[in-house]
Amino acid sequence: MKIIQITDTHYGYKGELIYGREPAFFMQLAIQSINREHKDAKFCILTGDVTNKGTIESYEYLKSDLDKLCMPYYVLLGNHDERKNALKILPHLESDSNGFVQYAIKCDNAIFLMLDTLQAEGEVKTHGGFFCKKRQEWLINQLQIYHDKEIYVCLHHAPFNTGIVSMDSMRLRLEDSIKLYEILQTHTNIRHLFFGHYHSTLAGKWGNISFSSLKGINHQVKLDFNDKDNVWMEFRNPEYSVILIDEKMKEEPPTLCVHFRDFMFHDKHCIKEPIAF
């Protein structure tokens, strides 16, 4: 099974520059690459901050591009998004009984749980992440429902420190991270955690749970392990992830492999002759 991940598209209105660049330019190149190379993907997930200010116009602009994908797409929200506007415009989004945008994507023997880590309605706007008791209860219920499936958890904020200290100050709130890990540890079918927010290529393990993230579409975050007070943006080639999941291997354990596709240069830049190693 093949899945595509995109993150932090930060759309504004048409023609609006975000940090000096229009996100749609790079997003459209990404979509062309995905449609050209990965038509066999089951679906695409977008892991938050899909718009820069959460306006209706920005969601409409994003949707006009996402609708060009040759596969279904599913969105979760980040700290730059707005729940009400996203629910009005984007397809497939669902809110739970408490109004949080959380839902399950069902695919073969796999379940992708899309979590909401925005601050609650009425709270002071913050770039950090939250996963309150009501959201935790929804997750506990979903894990009980899908106890016999392979679970992939998707959220915007990382629930741990990565070493990029300026971004770690805006991670998921510590007490919520501790509770999230405790909940996930009650099940043995948690396969992987996908997140965004950091605008950087990341991979590793959180306890016994593997994770990955990737560069943002429009702008990236400098790899800085020292400056805790400033988030330094920079421009590198954006990427999308190609996630390969093989649950049907007979002689080997099941595998999950995440590839990071730099789509800015097409095959015309490749060496055409085979290389002998």
mmCIF file of all heavy atoms in Angstrom, residues 82-125:
data_model
loop_
_atom_site.group_PDB
_atom_site.id
_atom_site.type_symbol
_atom_site.label_atom_id
_atom_site.label_comp_id
_atom_site.label_asym_id
_atom_site.label_seq_id
_atom_site.Cartn_x
_atom_site.Cartn_y
_atom_site.Cartn_z
ATOM 1 N N GLU A 82 -8.171 27.221 10.921
ATOM 2 C CA GLU A 82 -9.396 27.548 11.645
ATOM 3 C C GLU A 82 -10.421 26.441 11.386
ATOM 4 O O GLU A 82 -10.751 26.158 10.228
ATOM 5 C CB GLU A 82 -9.966 28.894 11.195
ATOM 6 C CG GLU A 82 -9.099 30.093 11.553
ATOM 7 C CD GLU A 82 -9.088 30.393 13.044
ATOM 8 O OE1 GLU A 82 -9.980 29.894 13.754
ATOM 9 O OE2 GLU A 82 -8.174 31.132 13.483
ATOM 10 N N ARG A 83 -10.923 25.835 12.450
ATOM 11 C CA ARG A 83 -11.810 24.678 12.307
ATOM 12 C C ARG A 83 -13.057 24.992 11.478
ATOM 13 O O ARG A 83 -13.397 24.259 10.543
ATOM 14 C CB ARG A 83 -12.244 24.167 13.687
ATOM 15 C CG ARG A 83 -11.135 23.544 14.507
ATOM 16 C CD ARG A 83 -11.696 22.921 15.786
ATOM 17 N NE ARG A 83 -10.640 22.433 16.654
ATOM 18 C CZ ARG A 83 -10.069 23.159 17.620
ATOM 19 N NH1 ARG A 83 -10.486 24.404 17.841
ATOM 20 N NH2 ARG A 83 -9.117 22.644 18.371
ATOM 21 N N LYS A 84 -13.759 26.065 11.829
ATOM 22 C CA LYS A 84 -15.048 26.345 11.182
ATOM 23 C C LYS A 84 -14.886 26.562 9.688
ATOM 24 O O LYS A 84 -15.670 26.039 8.880
ATOM 25 C CB LYS A 84 -15.704 27.557 11.838
ATOM 26 C CG LYS A 84 -16.174 27.305 13.269
ATOM 27 C CD LYS A 84 -16.834 28.538 13.867
ATOM 28 C CE LYS A 84 -17.284 28.278 15.292
ATOM 29 N NZ LYS A 84 -17.906 29.489 15.908
ATOM 30 N N ASN A 85 -13.887 27.323 9.295
ATOM 31 C CA ASN A 85 -13.688 27.602 7.874
ATOM 32 C C ASN A 85 -13.234 26.361 7.118
ATOM 33 O O ASN A 85 -13.669 26.117 5.985
ATOM 34 C CB ASN A 85 -12.675 28.737 7.698
ATOM 35 C CG ASN A 85 -13.226 30.084 8.125
ATOM 36 O OD1 ASN A 85 -14.438 30.254 8.253
ATOM 37 N ND2 ASN A 85 -12.345 31.044 8.346
ATOM 38 N N ALA A 86 -12.373 25.573 7.730
ATOM 39 C CA ALA A 86 -11.911 24.344 7.080
ATOM 40 C C ALA A 86 -13.069 23.377 6.862
ATOM 41 O O ALA A 86 -13.197 22.774 5.789
ATOM 42 C CB ALA A 86 -10.817 23.687 7.921
ATOM 43 N N LEU A 87 -13.925 23.238 7.863
ATOM 44 C CA LEU A 87 -15.064 22.321 7.746
ATOM 45 C C LEU A 87 -16.038 22.767 6.666
ATOM 46 O O LEU A 87 -16.715 21.937 6.040
ATOM 47 C CB LEU A 87 -15.786 22.213 9.092
ATOM 48 C CG LEU A 87 -15.063 21.389 10.171
ATOM 49 C CD1 LEU A 87 -15.679 21.652 11.540
ATOM 50 C CD2 LEU A 87 -15.131 19.892 9.839
ATOM 51 N N LYS A 88 -16.134 24.067 6.427
ATOM 52 C CA LYS A 88 -17.039 24.572 5.398
ATOM 53 C C LYS A 88 -16.553 24.232 3.989
ATOM 54 O O LYS A 88 -17.373 24.030 3.080
ATOM 55 C CB LYS A 88 -17.176 26.097 5.523
ATOM 56 C CG LYS A 88 -18.001 26.567 6.709
ATOM 57 C CD LYS A 88 -18.041 28.090 6.753
ATOM 58 C CE LYS A 88 -18.835 28.589 7.950
ATOM 59 N NZ LYS A 88 -18.831 30.069 8.037
ATOM 60 N N ILE A 89 -15.245 24.170 3.789
ATOM 61 C CA ILE A 89 -14.698 24.101 2.439
ATOM 62 C C ILE A 89 -14.102 22.743 2.082
ATOM 63 O O ILE A 89 -14.331 22.240 0.974
ATOM 64 C CB ILE A 89 -13.608 25.192 2.252
ATOM 65 C CG1 ILE A 89 -14.182 26.580 2.554
ATOM 66 C CG2 ILE A 89 -13.024 25.121 0.845
ATOM 67 C CD1 ILE A 89 -15.341 26.981 1.678
ATOM 68 N N LEU A 90 -13.368 22.148 2.985
ATOM 69 C CA LEU A 90 -12.607 20.951 2.630
ATOM 70 C C LEU A 90 -13.442 19.681 2.771
ATOM 71 O O LEU A 90 -14.175 19.510 3.754
ATOM 72 C CB LEU A 90 -11.361 20.840 3.509
ATOM 73 C CG LEU A 90 -10.339 21.968 3.350
ATOM 74 C CD1 LEU A 90 -9.173 21.764 4.308
ATOM 75 C CD2 LEU A 90 -9.838 22.059 1.909
ATOM 76 N N PRO A 91 -13.330 18.761 1.812
ATOM 77 C CA PRO A 91 -14.082 17.511 1.880
ATOM 78 C C PRO A 91 -13.465 16.548 2.889
ATOM 79 O O PRO A 91 -12.309 16.706 3.298
ATOM 80 C CB PRO A 91 -13.957 16.958 0.456
ATOM 81 C CG PRO A 91 -12.642 17.486 -0.027
ATOM 82 C CD PRO A 91 -12.508 18.859 0.589
ATOM 83 N N HIS A 92 -14.227 15.551 3.288
ATOM 84 C CA HIS A 92 -13.788 14.436 4.129
ATOM 85 C C HIS A 92 -13.572 14.821 5.586
ATOM 86 O O HIS A 92 -13.459 13.937 6.439
ATOM 87 C CB HIS A 92 -12.506 13.781 3.589
ATOM 88 C CG HIS A 92 -12.582 13.339 2.170
ATOM 89 N ND1 HIS A 92 -13.549 12.469 1.719
ATOM 90 C CD2 HIS A 92 -11.814 13.650 1.090
ATOM 91 C CE1 HIS A 92 -13.379 12.249 0.430
ATOM 92 N NE2 HIS A 92 -12.340 12.965 0.021
ATOM 93 N N LEU A 93 -13.485 16.114 5.900
ATOM 94 C CA LEU A 93 -13.263 16.492 7.291
ATOM 95 C C LEU A 93 -14.476 16.121 8.140
ATOM 96 O O LEU A 93 -15.617 16.282 7.720
ATOM 97 C CB LEU A 93 -13.008 17.995 7.421
ATOM 98 C CG LEU A 93 -11.653 18.546 6.967
ATOM 99 C CD1 LEU A 93 -11.554 20.015 7.344
ATOM 100 C CD2 LEU A 93 -10.504 17.765 7.567
ATOM 101 N N GLU A 94 -14.194 15.640 9.337
ATOM 102 C CA GLU A 94 -15.253 15.311 10.278
ATOM 103 C C GLU A 94 -14.875 15.858 11.649
ATOM 104 O O GLU A 94 -13.702 15.889 12.013
ATOM 105 C CB GLU A 94 -15.437 13.792 10.384
ATOM 106 C CG GLU A 94 -15.808 13.102 9.091
ATOM 107 C CD GLU A 94 -15.870 11.589 9.268
ATOM 108 O OE1 GLU A 94 -16.163 11.133 10.397
ATOM 109 O OE2 GLU A 94 -15.603 10.871 8.294
ATOM 110 N N SER A 95 -15.870 16.292 12.400
ATOM 111 C CA SER A 95 -15.623 16.709 13.773
ATOM 112 C C SER A 95 -16.267 15.706 14.725
ATOM 113 O O SER A 95 -17.290 15.091 14.408
ATOM 114 C CB SER A 95 -16.169 18.110 14.024
ATOM 115 O OG SER A 95 -17.544 18.183 13.719
ATOM 116 N N ASP A 96 -15.630 15.536 15.893
ATOM 117 C CA ASP A 96 -16.180 14.616 16.881
ATOM 118 C C ASP A 96 -17.313 15.298 17.644
ATOM 119 O O ASP A 96 -17.704 16.432 17.347
ATOM 120 C CB ASP A 96 -15.080 14.096 17.806
ATOM 121 C CG ASP A 96 -14.412 15.204 18.633
ATOM 122 O OD1 ASP A 96 -15.026 16.285 18.799
ATOM 123 O OD2 ASP A 96 -13.288 14.986 19.123
ATOM 124 N N SER A 97 -17.844 14.626 18.653
ATOM 125 C CA SER A 97 -19.011 15.148 19.373
ATOM 126 C C SER A 97 -18.707 16.423 20.154
ATOM 127 O O SER A 97 -19.618 17.141 20.572
ATOM 128 C CB SER A 97 -19.552 14.083 20.334
ATOM 129 O OG SER A 97 -18.549 13.694 21.271
ATOM 130 N N ASN A 98 -17.416 16.728 20.330
ATOM 131 C CA ASN A 98 -17.017 17.938 21.045
ATOM 132 C C ASN A 98 -16.548 19.049 20.113
ATOM 133 O O ASN A 98 -16.065 20.086 20.574
ATOM 134 C CB ASN A 98 -15.911 17.606 22.048
ATOM 135 C CG ASN A 98 -16.388 16.692 23.162
ATOM 136 O OD1 ASN A 98 -17.292 17.045 23.916
ATOM 137 N ND2 ASN A 98 -15.808 15.508 23.248
ATOM 138 N N GLY A 99 -16.667 18.836 18.803
ATOM 139 C CA GLY A 99 -16.310 19.865 17.845
ATOM 140 C C GLY A 99 -14.864 19.855 17.403
ATOM 141 O O GLY A 99 -14.446 20.728 16.635
ATOM 142 N N PHE A 100 -14.078 18.886 17.851
ATOM 143 C CA PHE A 100 -12.697 18.778 17.411
ATOM 144 C C PHE A 100 -12.640 18.016 16.086
ATOM 145 O O PHE A 100 -13.384 17.046 15.881
ATOM 146 C CB PHE A 100 -11.848 18.071 18.461
ATOM 147 C CG PHE A 100 -11.749 18.826 19.759
ATOM 148 C CD1 PHE A 100 -12.393 18.369 20.904
ATOM 149 C CD2 PHE A 100 -11.041 20.010 19.835
ATOM 150 C CE1 PHE A 100 -12.317 19.069 22.100
ATOM 151 C CE2 PHE A 100 -10.957 20.727 21.023
ATOM 152 C CZ PHE A 100 -11.604 20.254 22.158
ATOM 153 N N VAL A 101 -11.764 18.459 15.191
ATOM 154 C CA VAL A 101 -11.686 17.852 13.863
ATOM 155 C C VAL A 101 -10.813 16.601 13.952
ATOM 156 O O VAL A 101 -9.595 16.640 13.745
ATOM 157 C CB VAL A 101 -11.145 18.856 12.835
ATOM 158 C CG1 VAL A 101 -11.069 18.208 11.449
ATOM 159 C CG2 VAL A 101 -12.045 20.096 12.778
ATOM 160 N N GLN A 102 -11.448 15.500 14.298
ATOM 161 C CA GLN A 102 -10.776 14.209 14.460
ATOM 162 C C GLN A 102 -11.608 13.141 13.758
ATOM 163 O O GLN A 102 -12.831 13.113 13.893
ATOM 164 C CB GLN A 102 -10.618 13.857 15.935
ATOM 165 C CG GLN A 102 -9.892 14.908 16.738
ATOM 166 C CD GLN A 102 -9.418 14.415 18.100
ATOM 167 O OE1 GLN A 102 -8.257 14.553 18.432
ATOM 168 N NE2 GLN A 102 -10.306 13.858 18.884
ATOM 169 N N TYR A 103 -10.921 12.257 13.037
ATOM 170 C CA TYR A 103 -11.646 11.213 12.322
ATOM 171 C C TYR A 103 -10.690 10.093 11.932
ATOM 172 O O TYR A 103 -9.469 10.233 12.045
ATOM 173 C CB TYR A 103 -12.343 11.785 11.086
ATOM 174 C CG TYR A 103 -11.435 12.456 10.074
ATOM 175 C CD1 TYR A 103 -11.034 11.799 8.914
ATOM 176 C CD2 TYR A 103 -10.988 13.768 10.262
ATOM 177 C CE1 TYR A 103 -10.219 12.427 7.979
ATOM 178 C CE2 TYR A 103 -10.184 14.400 9.334
ATOM 179 C CZ TYR A 103 -9.794 13.719 8.196
ATOM 180 O OH TYR A 103 -8.985 14.329 7.268
ATOM 181 N N ALA A 104 -11.261 8.994 11.473
ATOM 182 C CA ALA A 104 -10.484 7.816 11.093
ATOM 183 C C ALA A 104 -10.578 7.600 9.587
ATOM 184 O O ALA A 104 -11.655 7.727 9.000
ATOM 185 C CB ALA A 104 -10.988 6.584 11.830
ATOM 186 N N ILE A 105 -9.451 7.278 8.974
ATOM 187 C CA ILE A 105 -9.404 6.884 7.574
ATOM 188 C C ILE A 105 -9.219 5.371 7.541
ATOM 189 O O ILE A 105 -8.247 4.852 8.100
ATOM 190 C CB ILE A 105 -8.244 7.557 6.827
ATOM 191 C CG1 ILE A 105 -8.307 9.075 6.978
ATOM 192 C CG2 ILE A 105 -8.252 7.172 5.357
ATOM 193 C CD1 ILE A 105 -7.054 9.779 6.473
ATOM 194 N N LYS A 106 -10.141 4.681 6.894
ATOM 195 C CA LYS A 106 -10.091 3.226 6.843
ATOM 196 C C LYS A 106 -9.542 2.781 5.495
ATOM 197 O O LYS A 106 -10.053 3.180 4.460
ATOM 198 C CB LYS A 106 -11.485 2.644 7.073
ATOM 199 C CG LYS A 106 -12.177 3.163 8.329
ATOM 200 C CD LYS A 106 -13.617 2.710 8.417
ATOM 201 C CE LYS A 106 -14.336 3.361 9.582
ATOM 202 N NZ LYS A 106 -14.467 4.821 9.437
ATOM 203 N N CYS A 107 -8.516 1.937 5.509
ATOM 204 C CA CYS A 107 -7.890 1.483 4.271
ATOM 205 C C CYS A 107 -7.338 0.079 4.468
ATOM 206 O O CYS A 107 -6.342 -0.119 5.189
ATOM 207 C CB CYS A 107 -6.771 2.449 3.866
ATOM 208 S SG CYS A 107 -6.038 2.086 2.264
ATOM 209 N N ASP A 108 -7.968 -0.904 3.830
ATOM 210 C CA ASP A 108 -7.560 -2.306 3.968
ATOM 211 C C ASP A 108 -7.534 -2.669 5.457
ATOM 212 O O ASP A 108 -8.495 -2.449 6.157
ATOM 213 C CB ASP A 108 -6.210 -2.548 3.292
ATOM 214 C CG ASP A 108 -6.247 -2.256 1.793
ATOM 215 O OD1 ASP A 108 -7.349 -2.368 1.200
ATOM 216 O OD2 ASP A 108 -5.210 -1.903 1.221
ATOM 217 N N ASN A 109 -6.394 -3.162 5.932
ATOM 218 C CA ASN A 109 -6.275 -3.541 7.342
ATOM 219 C C ASN A 109 -5.712 -2.408 8.180
ATOM 220 O O ASN A 109 -5.390 -2.588 9.354
ATOM 221 C CB ASN A 109 -5.379 -4.783 7.489
ATOM 222 C CG ASN A 109 -5.451 -5.384 8.873
ATOM 223 O OD1 ASN A 109 -6.537 -5.567 9.427
ATOM 224 N ND2 ASN A 109 -4.297 -5.675 9.463
ATOM 225 N N ALA A 110 -5.571 -1.216 7.601
ATOM 226 C CA ALA A 110 -4.948 -0.089 8.277
ATOM 227 C C ALA A 110 -5.971 0.993 8.615
ATOM 228 O O ALA A 110 -6.919 1.219 7.866
ATOM 229 C CB ALA A 110 -3.843 0.512 7.404
ATOM 230 N N ILE A 111 -5.751 1.648 9.736
ATOM 231 C CA ILE A 111 -6.559 2.787 10.157
ATOM 232 C C ILE A 111 -5.623 3.960 10.418
ATOM 233 O O ILE A 111 -4.657 3.841 11.193
ATOM 234 C CB ILE A 111 -7.360 2.480 11.437
ATOM 235 C CG1 ILE A 111 -8.293 1.281 11.217
ATOM 236 C CG2 ILE A 111 -8.146 3.703 11.887
ATOM 237 C CD1 ILE A 111 -9.406 1.510 10.231
ATOM 238 N N PHE A 112 -5.893 5.083 9.776
ATOM 239 C CA PHE A 112 -5.146 6.306 10.022
ATOM 240 C C PHE A 112 -6.018 7.210 10.890
ATOM 241 O O PHE A 112 -7.103 7.620 10.463
ATOM 242 C CB PHE A 112 -4.794 7.006 8.712
ATOM 243 C CG PHE A 112 -3.712 6.321 7.927
ATOM 244 C CD1 PHE A 112 -3.961 5.118 7.265
ATOM 245 C CD2 PHE A 112 -2.441 6.871 7.835
ATOM 246 C CE1 PHE A 112 -2.969 4.479 6.537
ATOM 247 C CE2 PHE A 112 -1.439 6.249 7.117
ATOM 248 C CZ PHE A 112 -1.699 5.041 6.474
ATOM 249 N N LEU A 113 -5.565 7.502 12.105
ATOM 250 C CA LEU A 113 -6.315 8.342 13.024
ATOM 251 C C LEU A 113 -5.804 9.773 12.923
ATOM 252 O O LEU A 113 -4.639 10.056 13.223
ATOM 253 C CB LEU A 113 -6.178 7.825 14.455
ATOM 254 C CG LEU A 113 -6.774 6.434 14.716
ATOM 255 C CD1 LEU A 113 -6.556 6.027 16.159
ATOM 256 C CD2 LEU A 113 -8.263 6.399 14.366
ATOM 257 N N MET A 114 -6.659 10.678 12.481
ATOM 258 C CA MET A 114 -6.314 12.082 12.275
ATOM 259 C C MET A 114 -6.707 12.861 13.534
ATOM 260 O O MET A 114 -7.900 12.985 13.850
ATOM 261 C CB MET A 114 -7.044 12.619 11.051
ATOM 262 C CG MET A 114 -6.865 11.770 9.792
ATOM 263 S SD MET A 114 -5.207 11.858 9.085
ATOM 264 C CE MET A 114 -5.393 13.300 8.025
ATOM 265 N N LEU A 115 -5.714 13.374 14.260
ATOM 266 C CA LEU A 115 -5.951 14.019 15.538
ATOM 267 C C LEU A 115 -5.957 15.538 15.410
ATOM 268 O O LEU A 115 -5.318 16.104 14.536
ATOM 269 C CB LEU A 115 -4.878 13.593 16.549
ATOM 270 C CG LEU A 115 -4.666 12.099 16.762
ATOM 271 C CD1 LEU A 115 -3.690 11.868 17.910
ATOM 272 C CD2 LEU A 115 -5.980 11.367 17.023
ATOM 273 N N ASP A 116 -6.657 16.183 16.328
ATOM 274 C CA ASP A 116 -6.773 17.639 16.387
ATOM 275 C C ASP A 116 -5.929 18.129 17.563
ATOM 276 O O ASP A 116 -6.225 17.818 18.722
ATOM 277 C CB ASP A 116 -8.247 18.012 16.581
ATOM 278 C CG ASP A 116 -8.501 19.518 16.586
ATOM 279 O OD1 ASP A 116 -7.594 20.274 16.973
ATOM 280 O OD2 ASP A 116 -9.618 19.927 16.231
ATOM 281 N N THR A 117 -4.867 18.914 17.281
ATOM 282 C CA THR A 117 -4.013 19.432 18.353
ATOM 283 C C THR A 117 -4.049 20.959 18.437
ATOM 284 O O THR A 117 -3.135 21.571 19.003
ATOM 285 C CB THR A 117 -2.560 18.948 18.176
ATOM 286 O OG1 THR A 117 -2.057 19.367 16.888
ATOM 287 C CG2 THR A 117 -2.469 17.442 18.286
ATOM 288 N N LEU A 118 -5.082 21.583 17.885
ATOM 289 C CA LEU A 118 -5.253 23.034 18.028
ATOM 290 C C LEU A 118 -5.730 23.367 19.435
ATOM 291 O O LEU A 118 -6.267 22.503 20.142
ATOM 292 C CB LEU A 118 -6.287 23.576 17.031
ATOM 293 C CG LEU A 118 -5.839 23.826 15.592
ATOM 294 C CD1 LEU A 118 -5.609 22.520 14.871
ATOM 295 C CD2 LEU A 118 -6.887 24.667 14.868
ATOM 296 N N GLN A 119 -5.574 24.613 19.826
ATOM 297 C CA GLN A 119 -6.143 25.052 21.090
ATOM 298 C C GLN A 119 -7.662 24.984 21.002
ATOM 299 O O GLN A 119 -8.238 25.020 19.914
ATOM 300 C CB GLN A 119 -5.682 26.474 21.438
ATOM 301 C CG GLN A 119 -6.425 27.591 20.725
ATOM 302 C CD GLN A 119 -5.977 27.809 19.295
ATOM 303 O OE1 GLN A 119 -5.090 27.129 18.794
ATOM 304 N NE2 GLN A 119 -6.611 28.753 18.619
ATOM 305 N N ALA A 120 -8.320 24.864 22.134
ATOM 306 C CA ALA A 120 -9.776 24.792 22.155
ATOM 307 C C ALA A 120 -10.372 26.147 21.790
ATOM 308 O O ALA A 120 -9.720 27.188 21.913
ATOM 309 C CB ALA A 120 -10.263 24.352 23.532
ATOM 310 N N GLU A 121 -11.638 26.133 21.338
ATOM 311 C CA GLU A 121 -12.319 27.377 20.981
ATOM 312 C C GLU A 121 -12.374 28.320 22.191
ATOM 313 O O GLU A 121 -12.653 27.906 23.319
ATOM 314 C CB GLU A 121 -13.749 27.076 20.506
ATOM 315 C CG GLU A 121 -13.815 26.278 19.217
ATOM 316 C CD GLU A 121 -13.294 27.040 18.014
ATOM 317 O OE1 GLU A 121 -13.317 28.288 18.068
ATOM 318 O OE2 GLU A 121 -12.851 26.399 17.048
ATOM 319 N N GLY A 122 -12.083 29.584 21.955
ATOM 320 C CA GLY A 122 -12.151 30.576 23.023
ATOM 321 C C GLY A 122 -10.855 30.760 23.783
ATOM 322 O O GLY A 122 -10.719 31.721 24.552
ATOM 323 N N GLU A 123 -9.882 29.849 23.598
ATOM 324 C CA GLU A 123 -8.596 29.996 24.279
ATOM 325 C C GLU A 123 -7.716 30.992 23.531
ATOM 326 O O GLU A 123 -7.909 31.250 22.343
ATOM 327 C CB GLU A 123 -7.894 28.641 24.394
ATOM 328 C CG GLU A 123 -8.579 27.674 25.351
ATOM 329 C CD GLU A 123 -7.792 26.386 25.531
ATOM 330 O OE1 GLU A 123 -6.828 26.181 24.772
ATOM 331 O OE2 GLU A 123 -8.139 25.597 26.428
ATOM 332 N N VAL A 124 -6.733 31.520 24.223
ATOM 333 C CA VAL A 124 -5.799 32.456 23.621
ATOM 334 C C VAL A 124 -5.028 31.755 22.507
ATOM 335 O O VAL A 124 -4.540 30.637 22.673
ATOM 336 C CB VAL A 124 -4.815 33.005 24.679
ATOM 337 C CG1 VAL A 124 -3.785 33.925 24.027
ATOM 338 C CG2 VAL A 124 -5.586 33.749 25.769
ATOM 339 N N LYS A 125 -4.957 32.412 21.349
ATOM 340 C CA LYS A 125 -4.291 31.819 20.191
ATOM 341 C C LYS A 125 -2.825 31.513 20.498
ATOM 342 O O LYS A 125 -2.106 32.361 21.029
ATOM 343 C CB LYS A 125 -4.377 32.778 19.006
ATOM 344 C CG LYS A 125 -3.840 32.214 17.697
ATOM 345 C CD LYS A 125 -4.788 31.209 17.097
ATOM 346 C CE LYS A 125 -4.347 30.767 15.706
ATOM 347 N NZ LYS A 125 -5.245 29.790 15.109
#
